[in-house]
Amino acid sequence: MYERKIKEDLDCGIVVAMKVFGAKWKPCIIDAISRGIKRPSELHREITSTSPRVIDMQLSELVEYGIVSKKVYSGFPLCVEYSLTETGESIVPILMQLNQWGLKNKGLVKKINDDEPVETSRCLIHA
Amino acid sequence: MYERKIKEDLDCGIVVAMKVFGAKWKPCIIDAISRGIKRPSELHREITSTSPRVIDMQLSELVEYGIVSKKVYSGFPLCVEYSLTETGESIVPILMQLNQWGLKNKGLVKKINDDEPVETSRCLIHA
DNA sequence: CTCCATACGGAATAATTTTTCGGTATACGA
DNA sequence: TCGTATACCGAAAAATTATTCCGTATGGAG
């Protein structure tokens, strides 16, 4: 586990919020779970733009923060299900609002970085 | 200027939103400007937890994205004023909402990282 | 001319996050 | 026992972001 050298101000709401969904794939994971994709292997299949390892790591942080809860079923095959906690649910509308804002204003950023096509995709919107 | 090796999906609203205020000091800068702190030197005095250079860099990105507009007065002493564009203004309520969410839920994160006191502060709330 | 306040920027380094690669473990069925 | 599907994790490498250090330029004051 990586140990920070520069301390964070965990009394700042923004800092806290960013720890919870500021990472690259966390919004994507939260969104997927909110859409009913519960099992790790399903999430791995759903989010193909990054590796399973990355999903697992960010997911375990979300569990640690109490955003996602994890339920282990000891049947066969080995089965784990993730779901959003109440707190986790409360992020979803904010995430949607962020997404809306970004979609509305993406022209601002796009004018600047309009060189090459995109390889990875972590879009929340799944048509 | 740093050139990315991994492309971003600039059609994803979240990605766009994060480019605009996902960086470490951007929320702080936007907040300060929205509170009427306009000049670079004022911002440097206001935000002491990072160096002027960092503020300048993140500020210039905000200008580039059209979130902040820059006005140069050629009097003496040399004077520059930043202000939020209309788009920039439209972020402020979202930022406040993020901050509120974080404040409400900071206990989740704090239980985990409660080792040492904080050195830096980038809190949006200035009592 | 020198000094000061303002504003900005290059470039190296440090810190952090993301990615890759490979491994462990469990329980079942053939 | 061996193979398979599930789920997870350590550690190094790569990529990205933040920080530090130091330099430039302008225009007025002394």
Side-chain angles (χ1 to χ4, degrees), chain A residues 89-104:
Chain A
E89 295 284 1
S90 73
I91 310 181
V92 176
I94 298 181
L95 228 42
M96 293 302 145
Q97 203 181 346
L98 280 175
N99 194 46
Q100 290 303 311
W101 189 92
L103 289 176
K104 188 174 173 185

Side-chain angles (χ1 to χ4, degrees), chain A residues 2 4-6 23-25 50-51 53-54 57-58 76:
Chain A
Y2 178 71
R4 287 196 148 274
K5 297 186 180 173
I6 299 174
K24 191 167 180 182
W25 301 99
T50 189
S51 67
R53 176 71 173 127
V54 174
M57 281 190 303
Q58 306 215 344
F76 178 79

Side-chain angles (χ1 to χ4, degrees), chain B residues 5-46:
Chain B
K5 296 186 181 173
I6 299 175
K7 296 295 174 197
E8 295 170 302
D9 183 356
L10 296 177
D11 285 316
C12 173
I14 295 286
V15 172
V16 172
M18 286 304 171
K19 282 193 83 69
V20 167
F21 55 82
K24 191 167 180 182
W25 300 100
K26 280 176 187 168
C28 209
I29 293 169
I30 293 170
D31 174 59
I33 294 177
S34 82
R35 286 183 290 113
I37 300 172
K38 294 176 168 296
R39 299 184 55 187
S41 53
E42 286 177 335
L43 287 164
H44 296 161
R45 274 191 295 273
E46 171 76 11

Side-chain angles (χ1 to χ4, degrees), chain A residues 24-121:
Chain A
K24 191 167 180 182
W25 301 99
K26 280 176 188 168
C28 209
I29 293 169
I30 293 171
D31 174 59
I33 294 176
S34 82
R35 286 184 290 114
I37 300 172
K38 294 176 167 299
R39 299 185 55 187
S41 53
E42 286 177 335
L43 287 163
H44 297 161
R45 274 192 294 274
E46 171 76 11
I47 305 169
T48 55
S49 300
T50 189
S51 67
R53 176 71 173 127
V54 174
I55 297 172
D56 291 347
M57 281 190 303
Q58 306 215 344
L59 201 41
S60 75
E61 274 186 42
L62 291 172
V63 171
E64 196 182 22
Y65 290 152
I67 302 302
V68 166
S69 72
K70 175 180 176 178
K71 193 166 184 183
V72 182
Y73 298 92
S74 45
F76 178 79
L78 185 53
C79 175
V80 172
E81 276 186 10
Y82 293 100
S83 57
L84 296 180
T85 62
E86 199 174 337
T87 311
E89 295 284 1
S90 73
I91 310 181
V92 176
I94 298 181
L95 228 42
M96 293 302 145
Q97 203 181 346
L98 280 175
N99 194 46
Q100 290 303 311
W101 189 92
L103 289 176
K104 188 174 173 185
N105 298 103
K106 68 183 181 185
L108 296 175
V109 178
K110 213 155 191 202
K111 266 180 288 184
I112 300 161
N113 314 40
D114 59 350
D115 25 336
E116 281 147 83
V118 175
E119 290 157 22
T120 69
S121 172

Side-chain angles (χ1 to χ4, degrees), chain A residues 7-26:
Chain A
K7 296 293 175 198
E8 295 170 302
D9 183 355
L10 296 177
D11 285 317
C12 173
I14 295 286
V15 172
V16 172
M18 285 304 170
K19 282 192 84 69
V20 167
F21 54 82
K24 191 167 180 182
W25 301 99
K26 280 176 188 168

